[in-house]
Amino acid sequence: MTPGRFYITTPIYYVNDKPHIGHAYTTILADCLARYHRSAGDETFFLTGLDEHGQKVQQAAQKRGLAPLDHCDDLAPRFLGLWKKLGIEFDDFIRTTQERHVAVVQKVLQQVYDAGDIYVSEYTGWYSVAEERFITETELSSGQFRDVKELKERNWFFRMGKYQQPLLEHIEKNPDFIRPVHRRNEVLGFLRQPLGDLCISRPKARMSWGIELPFDQEYVTYVWFDALLNYITAPGFGAEETRFKKWWPASIHLIGKDILTTHAVYWPTMLFAIGLPLPQMIFAHGWWLIGDTKMSKSLGNVINPLDLIDEYGVDAVRYYLMREMILGQDANFTMESFIKRYNSDLANDFGNLLNRISGLIGKNFEGCVPSPGEPTADEKDIQNAANMLNNKIHGLIRELRLDEAIEQVLQLVRKVNKYLEHKAPWKVAKTDLAYAGTILYTAGEALRVSTIHLSAVMPQKTKTVLEVLSAVGSSPAWGGLAPGVKLKSHEALFPRLDPPPPSKC
Ligand code: MSP
């Protein structure tokens, strides 16, 4: 990654339905990474948005009896509303129907056409309506595709196969280009077969909801050739060259594992054809499963993030999603695990630490942060752990190991809780008030440092804690808690939840 500059993207979501937890997950993850980088001083650009063309959207609009753009205009605010509720601080929200994007798609198509990398041909093949693409014989015989029909069509093709070798070389030379490593191997396996050319047009007679080809008015662009270009539209390709040069190539394209081929094969070959550098990293995360199946509208097992936010608060939802999924693997969403995680980490560990510290300072120091005296080995141990945390978090975030970074912070929180139990400052205060002050200062300071490290994941609750400590905007270096300041009063950060009744199935 280029030091000092961080450009992160999420996939742009199809507006064929309301946003669900899968969409929310990627967007929260991107938001957390963007917040960490911003707070580390990197200039950061965080892009998300909507994929508004193509068959799926057209069909969804038809079902509702709406014109496609009216349908998109109706759904876009639901995504924006959810992002607001989830505290997503994006820098740009792109919609592929925007004029700026249409201009880029047409410019790129013309450029690639002029360079001879787009040609017309008659094609007969198996077409998957669900996937919106022609599939190979092997894919057909896998039986994994629904809604397949044989289609004969005159279409426009992109010479993708021409870029197979340069792509292979790029992947070999850049071990971080596709991550995690098992996804990289998957793409290398895919590229062992000859890479065919890519059909990039749809006859308007069959599907009209798309961007018109500048060299053939009877056709619109295939939705992926349109959608992937959003990553260069937003930073200003073709319109604001200086800004574009500043941000491109992207640092990370965050995607789900189901859209790996389009991102790790189609997109880089398109960039080769345009003559642009490739993104620095494509990271494919796993799926949120319900039981052992993917969430899907047809199965009726979609978790609506808004319901969870209303019931448990935005930070608890962000925390659970970020802590529970090991990046790159699938994770199982259950209410049991949600409540268990909430109670153990947020109520018992983090929330309880604040309660104890503010309660004890209230009782013994009239609510004012005591001055620390000479530290003993135990205080030094806490201070060292807090200082080491700073470096650890930095490294883990750069490695995208967010769940581990969170666990490291919680380990410090647990350590401080144990330290308080062991030291029992409520007893020490009766005989040695100064040392009780040192203990509570140390615990309060470790709480402050931990809170700062959790603030990208839980922006609201951590702000509350920092307000209580009068330490908003302080740095994670040891010593930021000011002796003498009066702690603000507060409510329980994360009131304990009752465990849900055991599920019957
Ligand atoms: N429009 C395309 C992306 C174009 S990007 C240039 C698309 N949209 S989508 O709305 O169907 O899905 C967007 C993302 O949501 C994908 O990365 C997908 O993996 C993710 N998820 C959808 N369901 C999911 C889960 N159940 N769990 C985690 N993420 C999942 O594909």
Side-chain angles (χ1 to χ4, degrees):
M1 255 172 268
T2 314
R5 184 200 69 101
F6 186 67
Y7 171 24
I8 187 163
T9 67
T10 72
I12 48 172
Y13 305 108
Y14 285 129
V15 276
N16 51 356
D17 200 5
K18 284 179 286 192
H20 61 61
I21 205 97
H23 306 129
Y25 170 72
T26 322
T27 314
I28 296 170
L29 177 59
D31 184 62
C32 289
L33 295 171
R35 283 173 187 262
Y36 272 114
H37 278 268
R38 267 187 224 118
S39 67
D42 292 342
E43 251 196 295
T44 299
F45 183 49
F46 165 20
L47 171 68
T48 188
L50 298 177
D51 192 353
E52 302 193 340
H53 291 124
Q55 194 149 318
K56 286 183 193 173
V57 177
Q58 188 179 33
Q59 282 169 347
Q62 248 161 19
K63 253 194 199 160
R64 299 176 68 204
L66 290 176
L69 190 57
D70 291 341
H71 163 80
C72 297
D73 285 345
D74 180 54
L75 279 182
R78 298 200 202 185
F79 279 85
L80 282 166
L82 176 61
W83 300 159
K84 190 159 187 227
K85 265 198 130 168
L86 280 170
I88 307 294
E89 287 187 344
F90 54 77
D91 296 295
D92 196 351
F93 184 81
I94 191 163
R95 295 179 55 184
T96 52
T97 47
Q98 287 166 344
E99 189 43 49
R100 59 173 173 161
H101 182 65
V102 175
V104 166
V105 174
Q106 291 193 323
K107 182 184 163 83
V108 166
L109 281 164
Q110 190 66 52
Q111 184 185 327
V112 180
Y113 174 82
D114 290 344
D117 274 351
I118 290 177
Y119 62 93
V120 71
S121 174
E122 185 84 25
Y123 183 80
T124 309
W126 298 105
Y127 185 79
S128 156
V129 179
E131 290 278 310
E132 289 189 48
R133 65 176 174 97
F134 284 98
I135 57 170
T136 60
E137 291 285 341
T138 330
E139 284 177 316
L140 177 71
S141 49
S142 76
Q144 284 175 2
F145 294 85
R146 289 173 297 118
D147 259 345
V148 180
K149 55 184 180 190
E150 200 175 16
L151 262 189
K152 187 175 177 180
E153 241 173 39
R154 173 188 178 269
N155 262 310
W156 291 92
F157 289 81
F158 163 53
R159 292 190 200 282
M160 185 160 74
K162 176 176 161 186
Y163 298 102
Q164 175 162 13
Q165 203 46 40
L167 176 57
L168 266 169
E169 281 165 23
H170 186 86
I171 299 175
E172 302 281 0
K173 264 197 230 141
N174 297 276
D176 274 347
F177 177 53
I178 303 168
R179 291 206 32 216
V181 70
H182 59 279
R183 298 289 167 217
R184 177 175 187 260
N185 292 338
E186 201 177 303
V187 175
L188 285 171
F190 180 82
L191 288 172
R192 250 176 245 131
Q193 310 290 327
L195 185 62
D197 288 345
L198 182 68
C199 176
I200 55 145
S201 66
R202 297 291 178 260
K204 278 187 185 170
R206 171 154 69 81
M207 213 286 298
S208 58
W209 181 235
I211 298 174
E212 192 176 284
L213 299 186
F215 42 82
D216 189 341
Q217 291 171 358
E218 299 299 309
Y219 286 79
V220 294
T221 319
Y222 167 46
V223 68
W224 277 100
F225 204 92
D226 158 354
L228 289 160
L229 290 166
N230 91 86
Y231 301 134
I232 59 170
T233 300
F237 176 76
E240 294 168 74
E241 279 313 305
T242 320
R243 194 163 79 86
F244 182 67
K245 279 215 180 82
K246 172 174 172 185
W247 293 112
W248 192 258
S251 315
I252 303 179
H253 289 322
L254 267 185
I255 58 165
K257 63 180 180 180
D258 51 325
I259 53 176
L260 181 64
T261 310
T262 47
H263 279 80
V265 179
Y266 296 8
W267 180 225
T269 55
M270 286 165 66
L271 288 166
F272 278 131
I274 311 167
L276 288 176
L278 305 193
Q280 291 169 330
M281 184 189 290
I282 297 164
F283 194 102
H285 63 71
W287 281 342
W288 279 98
L289 305 175
I290 307 281
D292 283 324
T293 42
K294 193 185 172 200
M295 230 180 295
S296 102
K297 206 179 141 198
S298 48
L299 290 173
N301 62 356
V302 176
I303 301 273
N304 184 348
L306 286 172
D307 297 343
L308 286 176
I309 301 172
D310 288 343
E311 181 121 20
Y312 305 104
V314 55
D315 281 355
V317 175
R318 287 175 66 111
Y319 183 86
Y320 172 80
L321 294 176
M322 294 303 107
R323 174 63 189 85
E324 205 69 18
M325 187 179 268
I326 299 170
L327 219 58
Q329 297 177 16
D330 289 344
N332 234 296
F333 187 100
T334 64
M335 264 335 280
E336 282 89 345
S337 69
F338 180 88
I339 291 183
K340 204 167 153 207
R341 185 60 79 187
Y342 175 105
N343 278 341
S344 66
D345 293 13
L346 299 180
N348 290 2
D349 294 338
F350 187 55
N352 186 33
L353 183 58
L354 171 68
N355 258 354
R356 279 176 144 176
I357 293 170
S358 65
L360 287 165
I361 291 182
K363 219 170 176 182
N364 298 290
F365 296 92
E366 291 170 359
C368 295
V369 173
S371 295
E374 202 46 44
T376 71
D378 289 339
E379 284 72 53
K380 281 186 188 151
D381 183 37
I382 298 283
Q383 184 173 340
N384 282 343
N387 285 339
M388 267 158 52
L389 190 63
N390 292 345
N391 286 336
K392 276 193 207 156
I393 299 285
H394 199 66
L396 288 169
I397 293 299
R398 273 169 208 268
E399 282 282 303
L400 289 153
R401 286 151 65 191
L402 187 54
D403 57 302
E404 286 176 58
I406 295 173
E407 179 52 26
Q408 289 293 330
V409 185
L410 262 288
Q411 278 181 19
L412 177 63
V413 169
R414 286 182 210 117
K415 188 179 170 82
V416 182
N417 271 321
K418 279 210 188 92
Y419 161 79
L420 284 177
E421 276 151 34
H422 165 68
K423 286 284 173 180
W426 52 94
K427 284 188 196 150
V428 177
K430 291 179 189 145
T431 52
D432 186 351
L433 194 62
Y435 185 48
T438 304
I439 298 168
L440 287 172
Y441 182 88
T442 305
E445 178 56 0
L447 170 67
R448 186 192 66 84
V449 173
S450 309
T451 305
I452 290 174
H453 288 307
L454 289 175
S455 60
V457 179
M458 299 191 287
Q460 291 189 5
K461 293 286 181 180
T462 51
K463 188 161 172 261
T464 305
V465 178
L466 293 174
E467 275 165 3
V468 170
L469 301 175
S470 293
V472 176
S474 58
S475 98
W478 188 265
L481 189 60
V485 299
K486 190 152 176 81
L487 299 185
K488 311 264 181 323
S489 63
H490 63 93
E491 304 193 335
L493 261 195
F494 294 101
R496 254 190 92 77
L497 300 172
D498 291 331
S503 80
K504 292 194 182 69
C505 43

